Amino acid sequence: MPHLYYVHDPMCSWCWAFRPILSKLIISLPDSITYSYLLGGLAADSEEPMEMDMQERLRNTWLTIQQKLPKTDFNYNFWLNNVPRRSTYPACRAVITSRKMDPALEEQMILSIQQAYYMEARNPSDNSTLVEIAGEIGLDRSIFQNLLNSESINNSLLDEIEQSRLMGINSFPALVLKIEDGYWPIAVDYHDENSMLDIIQQLFT
């Protein structure tokens, strides 16, 4: 059975912009195609404050996204209310932890991290924020906190990152269709799910 991988990072701003069309794409997939999320990992663990030039680059990325996709919202108070760090692995581990605890909450965890970051100006690089989010979506905070930085969860993240690299993915968001032993990249369309559906259907029919 063909399988569609969505390779992402919950703190990737382009992934946030892609979310509305991704939701339509997933709903429209034929029953003969399964799908799953795969963490690509943007930035490794760091306790160092983000350098000002990187902060400026990310703010400019947000502005670029809003110019190209005006319906995408960002809360720029994030840069005033937090000490940003170039560290997305904690948020990636949070997604894997939620999947381990309750697979049905994986998508909700991704959305809640994105909303916390982009809409509520909270910092998902901080474990404390991730534990708060876990409680908000109905996970046991104590169990979540114990698992979040465990060796098994971190190894799972590293495995997913390696898998995405082996598929040739180095930027996000990305879509890859697996058919038997072959992997086929699907060009991401931020405006219309139908162009991606057409390519997917052409590949497996």
Side-chain angles (χ1 to χ4, degrees):
M1 179 178 287
H3 186 87
L4 183 67
Y5 289 100
Y6 173 57
V7 189
H8 72 109
D9 185 297
M11 292 182 69
C12 159
S13 51
W14 283 103
C15 296
W16 170 238
F18 184 53
R19 183 176 186 88
I21 296 298
L22 173 68
S23 298
K24 293 180 180 179
L25 174 64
I26 289 173
I27 291 172
S28 302
L29 283 175
D31 293 338
S32 54
I33 296 180
T34 56
Y35 77 93
S36 63
Y37 294 83
L38 191 67
L39 278 308
L42 270 177
D45 296 305
S46 174
E47 295 300 323
E48 296 297 319
M50 189 183 296
E51 294 182 359
M52 293 306 298
D53 61 340
M54 176 59 74
Q55 292 190 39
E56 186 66 21
R57 282 172 57 190
L58 291 178
R59 282 195 295 268
N60 286 337
T61 297
W62 290 11
L63 289 169
T64 298
I65 290 172
Q66 288 186 302
Q67 289 169 0
K68 294 184 177 182
L69 301 162
K71 293 183 180 180
T72 307
D73 291 325
F74 294 98
N75 185 343
Y76 289 86
N77 285 330
F78 173 83
W79 304 102
L80 301 174
N81 299 345
N82 299 277
V83 179
R85 305 197 312 280
R86 185 64 173 158
S87 182
T88 71
Y89 280 22
C92 292
R93 283 193 291 268
V95 173
I96 295 174
T97 302
S98 66
R99 185 198 305 153
K100 297 280 188 183
M101 292 179 66
D102 186 346
L105 289 178
E106 178 181 12
E107 293 184 27
Q108 183 59 54
M109 174 58 82
I110 295 167
L111 175 58
S112 294
I113 290 172
Q114 291 173 325
Q115 289 175 328
Y117 183 22
Y118 297 116
M119 303 297 295
E120 300 164 9
R122 298 158 69 189
N123 193 351
S125 294
D126 295 337
N127 288 332
S128 58
T129 299
L130 298 169
V131 172
E132 289 173 359
I133 293 171
E136 289 163 6
I137 68 172
L139 293 171
D140 184 290
R141 293 190 183 202
S142 179
I143 295 174
F144 179 89
Q145 187 169 18
N146 288 334
L147 282 174
L148 181 59
N149 293 305
S150 65
E151 184 177 0
S152 63
I153 294 296
N154 192 57
N155 286 341
S156 293
L157 172 58
L158 297 178
D159 287 345
E160 293 194 26
I161 292 171
E162 181 179 11
Q163 183 180 353
S164 67
R165 300 300 186 268
L166 290 173
M167 291 192 297
I169 303 303
N170 293 291
S171 61
F172 321 109
L175 293 165
V176 179
L177 185 65
K178 183 179 186 295
I179 303 175
E180 296 181 348
D181 294 327
Y183 293 92
W184 304 86
I186 309 297
V188 169
D189 187 333
Y190 291 88
H191 300 279
D192 184 8
E193 73 279 8
N194 291 308
S195 63
M196 296 176 286
L197 278 171
D198 288 344
I199 296 171
I200 290 169
Q201 291 172 334
Q202 290 170 16
L203 285 170
F204 85 93
T205 55

